[in-house]
Structures are given as structure tokens and as C-alpha cells.
Amino acid sequence: MNSSATPDTEPSVAAARQDPDKQHPGKLNSNNIVELIADIFERRGAESYLGEQVTMSEHMLQCALLAENESAGDALIAAALLHDI
């Protein structure tokens, strides 16, 4: 494990939480949030959702699709997709 990572944080997540200029490590912003979310999907997306018969990724996508089917706005669709993160 990378020395900059905490015990519960993988090196790729630690890297995603750093500003591009590395002045404020750990600060999430519009430059690194997508990378962090992608990393979470990669690491945890295939896990069972709370013991249910769907994966975390399937659950997240189902919620976003339900919001989209109800003509929700982009912000609510994103919130539905990411509500467990």
C-alpha cells in the first residue's frame, strides 16, 4: 500500500482525492470527483447490494433509470445514481 493511503483507502483513491496541483491533498473537486466515483464503481460495483440479488452497480443504475423514466432533472438522476456513495 502507498504511504499516502490510509488503511481503508487504496492508492488510486488517495490519488483521486488530490488536486492536480497537489497543493490540497484530500480535497475533492470537479477535477477529480469523476475519477473517484469510477474507482468506487470498479472496486465495489460487483458486490451484492445489502444481501439482495442485485449488485451495487445494478442497484445504482436501477435508481437512476427510475428517476429518468419519471422525467426527473439531471441533478435528481445523478443523486439517484450516487445516493449510496
Side-chain angles (χ1 to χ4, degrees):
M1 181 164 38
N2 182 315
S3 62
S4 67
T6 64
D8 296 329
T9 307
E10 301 207 12
S12 58
V13 175
R17 290 185 176 155
Q18 294 180 3
D19 285 348
D21 61 8
K22 309 247 188 227
Q23 290 181 3
H24 303 285
K27 183 177 179 183
L28 291 174
N29 60 46
S30 61
N31 294 321
N32 59 23
I33 190 68
V34 173
E35 185 179 343
L36 175 65
I37 293 168
D39 183 69
I40 292 169
F41 265 94
E42 286 179 33
R43 290 184 302 110
R44 308 287 306 274
E47 294 178 9
S48 173
Y49 179 71
L50 303 175
E52 299 294 328
Q53 295 297 312
V54 296
T55 65
M56 294 290 286
S57 292
E58 290 168 335
H59 168 72
M60 295 168 78
L61 294 170
Q62 287 171 343
C63 293
L65 182 60
L66 287 170
E68 186 176 57
N69 287 345
E70 293 296 320
S71 301
D74 291 344
L76 186 55
I77 294 169
L81 177 70
L82 303 174
H83 74 274
D84 284 321
I85 292 182

